[in-house]
Amino acid sequence: MNSATSASPDKAGRFGGWFSRAKSGIDALPMHLPVRLGNAGMTQTKAAPVRVLGFDQALVWVTVALLAWGLVMVYSASIALSDSPRFARAGYTPTYFLTRHAASLVIAAIAGLLAFQVPMKTWERAAPWLFVASLLLLVAVLIPHIGINVNGARRWLPLGFMRFQPSELAKLAMVLYAASYMVRKMEIKERFFRAVLPMGIAVVVVGMLVMAEPDMGAFMVIAVIAMGILFLGGVNARMFFVIAALVVVAFGTIVATSPWRRERIFAYLDPWSEEHALGKGYQLSHSLIAIGRGEVFGVGLGGSVEKLHWLPEAHTDFLLAVIGEEFGLIGVLLAIGLFLWLTRRIMHIGRQAIALDRVFAGLVAQGIGIWIGFQAFINMGVNLGALPTKGLTLPLMSFGGSAILMNVVALAVVLRIDYENRVLMRGGRV
């Protein structure tokens, strides 16, 4: 009895000292606290200094590197366009595309800073309304005298200081809406008609509007984003493969019923034939020539020959071909490596958010990773002759104000997700 009573004050003293140190600050806590996992005892071995707050600086610097490299390459690829009679009549100068691209970067940076300030709870509440707004803009672009028609495609809205492409906004809107939809339907995600079918109808509506422009490349990206979020959200695997099969059949039907799209497929299969070399296979054949001229180390910055009116759209869809010619295999591998790292890092941030029970934020990050990664994969595959020619720009690098703007805003949302993850891991609230 006496031993028990004498032990109690000792225990009370130890615990009292422990709690008093806890009140004075986290740094005063003992560095070796016992932890029980099942029947095994474990202790913390060493305190590792970690910056919990802040943001992913590596992600920011890789993004800045891609944007800066893209600015240089857009200038290099477009500097000779003013010598063409087509552009000379329009009054283009050698720096026309450079100044417009630089202005787009400034606008995108401002928009990205503003987007970073918006909490993910606000994005979740606004997701359905943003999706509806994107649908209205997709309708507006098809109205004569409102949408701008370029080469038979009606894809842009005039905003005075820039041309805005609603299909780019639709990509971000689809990411947010699909993530919000999966969170709301989490309890019934195994039921096709109640969970998957409404999302499929939404994709079909967007697809019909985008295909009316026409812009099959944007529709492909939007469909893949929706399917990817459905899959990552936990939709039954059998239902997912049924959806994937339906999407493949839909795209096959679109190609089969469109003569000029069929010609693109045939030109891709044999771009060097006499029939296709000066027709639908012209861009692909000259893209391959440009990459072949670059060999391993390239001909040097500014030394491209194909950009001198041989390779059409060298500053937009075929920017990677100019990179391959001027920087060679090393430049192409560096671009592939940067996009691979960027996509992997974004997906990691998404998994981290889901592990913190933030399903909406996690699905948004992973959806943006699918968007950036898939579009970069398609553009690179087209430039390298691995995929049929498709009008998709290289994210963060190709000329295009709307694409740059929405890419930067999307990455700002990812940085916001990462920031909130760090706050929660520190024990804070978001």
Side-chain angles (χ1 to χ4, degrees):
M1 185 69 178
N2 294 334
S3 60
T5 56
S6 62
S8 298
D10 293 338
K11 291 182 179 179
R14 286 200 299 271
F15 282 109
W18 192 90
F19 283 112
S20 65
R21 287 194 297 271
K23 292 179 181 179
S24 64
I26 191 70
D27 293 332
L29 292 176
M31 301 312 298
H32 298 277
L33 298 178
V35 178
R36 300 288 299 180
L37 294 178
N39 293 323
M42 299 183 66
T43 60
Q44 180 181 351
T45 57
K46 186 178 180 181
V50 179
R51 292 192 63 185
V52 180
L53 291 178
F55 53 86
D56 194 324
Q57 295 189 16
L59 180 63
V60 172
W61 285 115
V62 169
T63 301
V64 170
L66 287 170
L67 291 170
W69 193 10
L71 179 65
V72 173
M73 294 312 302
V74 165
Y75 182 44
S76 176
S78 64
I79 190 172
L81 291 179
S82 59
D83 298 333
S84 170
R86 171 191 168 193
F87 292 101
R89 285 194 298 270
Y92 287 10
T93 63
T95 59
Y96 175 83
F97 291 99
L98 172 66
T99 54
R100 290 177 68 88
H101 194 71
S104 298
L105 291 179
V106 173
I107 296 171
I110 296 172
L113 289 173
L114 295 176
F116 180 78
Q117 307 302 318
V118 180
M120 290 310 299
K121 291 181 180 178
T122 304
W123 284 114
E124 186 172 6
R125 289 194 298 267
W129 302 106
L130 187 61
F131 182 73
V132 172
S134 68
L135 291 179
L136 294 176
L137 290 176
L138 287 172
V139 172
V141 80
L142 299 175
I143 300 174
H145 308 298
I146 295 181
I148 299 175
N149 192 320
V150 178
N151 296 328
R154 193 180 295 274
R155 303 176 184 174
W156 298 269
L157 292 173
L159 296 183
F161 57 92
M162 68 179 296
R163 292 178 176 180
F164 184 72
Q165 194 168 352
S167 59
E168 294 295 332
L169 175 62
K171 296 173 186 177
L172 178 60
M174 179 56 72
V175 169
L176 295 169
Y177 178 72
S180 171
Y181 180 85
M182 286 307 300
V183 171
R184 288 184 280 112
K185 300 293 183 180
M186 192 62 69
E187 296 181 357
I188 57 171
K189 62 185 178 182
E190 299 293 331
R191 302 179 185 178
F192 180 83
F193 288 101
R194 292 187 62 187
V196 180
L197 187 60
M199 190 67 212
I201 294 174
V203 174
V204 169
V205 172
V206 175
M208 291 174 62
L209 293 173
V210 172
M211 289 300 297
E213 295 182 0
D215 192 351
M216 186 174 177
F219 180 36
M220 288 176 59
V221 174
I222 291 171
V224 169
I225 289 172
M227 288 177 57
I229 292 178
L230 286 175
F231 179 75
L232 294 171
V235 169
N236 184 282
R238 287 176 296 178
M239 291 193 296
F240 175 79
F241 286 118
V242 169
I243 297 168
L246 292 175
V247 170
V248 171
V249 170
F251 281 119
T253 304
I254 292 172
V255 172
T257 56
S258 176
W260 62 276
R261 288 194 176 97
R262 287 202 308 271
E263 290 179 14
R264 279 189 173 185
I265 299 295
F266 295 140
Y268 155 72
L269 296 174
D270 188 11
W272 305 106
S273 67
E274 184 177 354
E275 178 184 0
H276 300 133
L278 297 178
K280 294 296 183 182
Y282 182 81
Q283 280 181 305
L284 176 56
S285 60
H286 280 274
S287 175
L288 295 176
I289 291 172
I291 293 173
R293 287 193 73 250
E295 296 183 351
V296 178
F297 299 104
V299 298
L301 180 62
S304 170
V305 172
E306 284 296 321
K307 70 183 182 185
L308 304 177
H309 315 302
W310 291 102
L311 177 61
E313 308 299 334
H315 59 303
T316 55
D317 299 348
F318 285 87
L319 190 68
L320 186 70
V322 180
I323 292 175
E325 186 174 4
E326 297 188 349
F327 291 94
L329 176 64
I330 302 300
V332 173
L333 291 178
L334 177 60
I336 293 174
L338 288 174
F339 277 104
L340 182 63
W341 185 92
L342 186 70
T343 304
R344 182 179 179 275
R345 181 58 192 159
I346 294 172
M347 299 298 286
H348 172 75
I349 290 173
R351 290 197 303 270
Q352 192 176 55
I354 292 175
L356 293 170
D357 201 24
R358 303 175 64 229
V359 179
F360 171 76
L363 291 178
V364 167
Q366 292 179 333
I368 292 172
I370 293 171
W371 168 12
I372 301 293
F374 179 74
Q375 185 164 330
F377 171 77
I378 294 295
N379 179 272
M380 291 176 176
V382 167
N383 278 256
L384 296 172
L387 296 171
T389 304
K390 180 49 57 191
L392 280 175
T393 58
L394 187 61
L396 301 171
M397 297 189 73
S398 293
F399 177 80
S402 302
I404 292 291
L405 173 62
M406 299 317 302
N407 290 161
V408 172
V409 168
L411 289 173
V413 173
V414 173
L415 287 172
R416 177 70 194 193
I417 295 170
D418 178 66
Y419 167 77
E420 293 186 0
N421 287 348
R422 293 168 186 250
V423 171
L424 288 174
M425 286 190 292
R426 189 178 184 270
R429 297 177 64 184
V430 294

